[in-house]
Amino acid sequence: MTWVLILLIAAIVFVLLAFVLKMPRAGWELSGAALLVGIAGYALQGHPGAPGAPKAPIENKRAADEALVKQRQQMGDQFAQGQSWMILADGLARQGQYGAAAEVLRKGTQQFPQDADLWVSLGNALVGHSDGIITPAAQFAFQKAAAIAPDHPGPPFFMGLALAQSGRLADARAMWAELLRRSPADAPYRADLSERIQRIDSMLGATSGASTAGAPVAVPSGEAGESDQAAE
């Protein structure tokens, strides 16, 4: 059935060329030969019965981490001005379209150049676009956010996350430890930050043979008992 359809299409194409488009008779043989060569090539290499294997674009291969979007929102509510840009960019990031999200946020930073949260979001989008690796452009975005709002916890947190994902665990730990040191005791992200630092310590300890890496990490009082039990 497939070959009947292919031959029928070839015949229709030839009729269109010869009688509808008024191709000169001198070209009939050449056009017919070209169609036959195409059919012969398909007969040798084509696999019409093979199942389709559609592939999603590379940008879609990894969905955005919903928890990280919420964490950024939690950390940056009081700093944000360009909320409309971030809402659009978050929607793109949730679909894995990090490049498009970065372009949206770049335009947002042009409109609100002093919005630290826009720069944090831009850094996250650039990291996602590079498959979790921190690039000079992403590092610049995080540093720009930190310069605009030194008290904003988002820049050091997400830059540390990007450093950790890039394998720079010691750098990530140093940045997170400093953030933990200067964070208010009632900051909602302290517990999560402490756990992340402890996980990095475990990984660094496993590779170096040390039990910890760096200075002791202060943890919220509610977690102290749990940490002692874990150590035992």
Side-chain angles (χ1 to χ4, degrees), residues 103-127:
E103 180 62 21
V104 166
L105 292 164
R106 184 186 65 81
K107 293 179 180 177
T109 58
Q110 292 175 350
Q111 183 178 2
F112 299 103
Q114 296 303 308
D115 186 337
D117 218 44
L118 275 174
W119 287 102
V120 171
S121 299
L122 177 59
N124 288 337
L126 291 171
V127 170

Side-chain angles (χ1 to χ4, degrees), residues 26-48:
W28 285 15
E29 292 183 2
L30 182 60
S31 299
L35 289 171
L36 290 176
V37 169
I39 293 173
Y42 182 77
L44 292 173
Q45 301 182 19
H47 301 284

Side-chain angles (χ1 to χ4, degrees), residues 48-139:
K55 293 184 178 180
I58 293 177
E59 284 287 317
N60 284 327
K61 68 182 181 181
R62 188 164 58 89
D65 189 340
E66 183 74 19
L68 290 182
V69 172
K70 291 181 178 178
Q71 184 117 32
R72 194 218 65 225
Q73 293 170 344
Q74 182 186 60
M75 288 183 170
D77 285 345
Q78 69 269 37
F79 297 93
Q81 294 173 312
Q83 285 285 1
S84 59
W85 292 103
M86 286 186 288
I87 290 172
L88 176 57
D90 285 347
L92 292 168
R94 287 188 179 95
Q95 299 175 35
Q97 298 296 324
Y98 298 108
E103 180 62 21
V104 166
L105 292 164
R106 184 186 65 81
K107 293 179 180 177
T109 58
Q110 292 175 350
Q111 183 178 2
F112 299 103
Q114 296 303 308
D115 186 337
D117 218 44
L118 275 174
W119 287 102
V120 171
S121 299
L122 177 59
N124 288 337
L126 291 171
V127 170
H129 186 53
S130 61
D131 203 19
I133 303 300
I134 188 169
T135 61
Q139 187 166 340

